[in-house]
Amino acid sequence: MSFPNEQVETQGRSNLPPVVDPISALDRAISETPAAVAAVDSLEGLAMLESTLLGKESALGEVRRRMGQLDPVDRPKIGAKLNEAAEVINALLTARRAELEAEDEGRRVREESIDVTLQAITFPSGSLHLIQQTIDEVVDIFVALGYRVASGPEAELAWYNFDALNTPSTHPSRLESDTMYLDWGDPDDEVLLRTHTSPVQARWMEQHEPPVYIVVPGRSYRTDTIDATHLPVFHQIEGLAVDTDINFGDLRGTLLHFAREFFGPQSTVRMRPHFFPFTEPSAELDVSCFACDGGEPGCRVCGGSGWVELLGCGMVDPNVLEAVGYDPAQLTGFAFGMGVERLAMVRHGIETVRHFIDNDIRFLEQF
Ligand code: DAH
């Protein structure tokens, strides 16, 4: 059996060399394939072998291409052999592919497996300072009530720190011995390190239309010598609510809610009359002692009184509203101011404020 070559040339269909005997060429392909497939040791190699064995340049490809030139009598037999060869070769390739894939998988499992019993490499992670944690917690309580967070400068004009807050120039807190001045002498032009966060009340109201519901966390400064309860730089959170119909009951209810969120749901509050220039009436707020349930002699938190002094508060003095251009005939409000160090000390039983600035890791990592 042979291809009629001369005819091919004359018809110009192909210039490929003749396949002298298609049947024996296909048989050879069948018999050589097992060894060739077995010799391949990678999936990439197998893909290349596949195109060598089955592609256009393979014996199968060549026979297939020349099918049309065959003597019609020979065609069925050669066609059958072609199918057989393709089936055998495909089956061998498929089987080898499965083997190589399994090997690959095994290798990957071996190489990529990790020993979960090994000691982990860990890095100590820092945390927010207790003061910042306390600020965040208090602010969250008020934000949940709809309050916005405001801030203002620490180097403040005496006007905002004192005058706008109804504090006369004769007030003792304005003395150089109490307040750190950056610029002192001309009462209209004095700059100081703010002694409380209250000036942000006036700054906010000057810039915003009522209603006002804000909390103001921030640093404050006083000429205090460091002892167990004083730092020259400390933190406060101011609160201010101004609206058309705010009364003292709103103030009490708001601070009771705060006390229960911060110290626990069993907390109660009481108010004692006090004086602040910027509120009238003014009060100090005590929270019931959460440590001793009231009146345990020598309690480490309340000392046995059953109450813990917490913050100053009151109804915004009409003079303050007037100073910022609000109409005291239309608007009322309440304000409060609390010391962050004090809140944290009461809640965690910390006996000296010095711990907050000592940077002692044994203290810091407890929170
Ligand atoms: N600013 C006061 C202080 O530093 C605290 C305070 C008291 C703030 C009463 C207020 C308030 O807003 O109404 O001692």
Side-chain angles (χ1 to χ4, degrees), residues 2-5 9 14-22 62 66 69:
S2 66
F3 285 101
N5 265 313
E9 299 292 2
S14 171
N15 295 319
L16 288 169
V19 174
V20 176
D21 177 358
E62 205 169 321
R66 291 178 184 255
Q69 306 154 20

Side-chain angles (χ1 to χ4, degrees), residues 296-317:
E296 190 180 296
C299 168
R300 68 179 168 82
V301 175
C302 69
S305 71
W307 295 97
V308 182
E309 201 179 304
L310 214 55
L311 54 82
C313 59
M315 300 306 291
V316 178
D317 193 298

Side-chain angles (χ1 to χ4, degrees), residues 2-132:
S2 66
F3 285 101
N5 265 313
E6 287 71 12
Q7 205 183 331
V8 169
E9 299 292 2
T10 49
Q11 288 178 353
R13 297 241 294 271
S14 171
N15 295 319
L16 288 169
V19 174
V20 176
D21 177 358
I23 295 286
S24 59
L26 294 169
D27 274 335
R28 194 173 336 113
I30 291 172
S31 67
E32 284 173 355
T33 297
V37 166
V40 166
D41 62 358
S42 72
L43 286 163
E44 298 77 46
L46 193 70
M48 280 163 64
L49 181 63
E50 178 169 10
S51 81
T52 310
L53 294 176
L54 299 173
K56 278 193 197 138
E57 308 294 323
S58 67
L60 278 72
E62 205 169 321
V63 173
R64 202 175 281 125
R65 198 163 44 242
R66 291 178 184 255
M67 216 52 174
Q69 306 154 20
L70 290 173
D71 186 335
V73 179
D74 297 331
R75 264 186 222 164
K77 204 176 163 198
I78 295 176
K81 182 56 83 179
L82 189 60
N83 286 341
E84 183 199 335
E87 261 170 45
V88 170
I89 293 171
N90 265 317
L92 287 165
L93 288 169
T94 303
R96 185 69 183 134
R97 184 174 302 115
E99 279 172 20
L100 290 170
E101 277 171 358
E103 272 174 32
D104 230 33
E105 174 79 9
R107 182 168 348 108
R108 236 176 315 125
V109 167
R110 270 193 314 282
E111 283 172 4
E112 294 174 15
S113 69
I114 51 165
D115 182 352
V116 294
T117 65
L118 279 178
Q119 176 78 48
I121 303 166
T122 56
F123 299 94
S125 64
S127 61
L128 292 177
H129 192 280
L130 179 58
I131 292 300
Q132 188 60 49

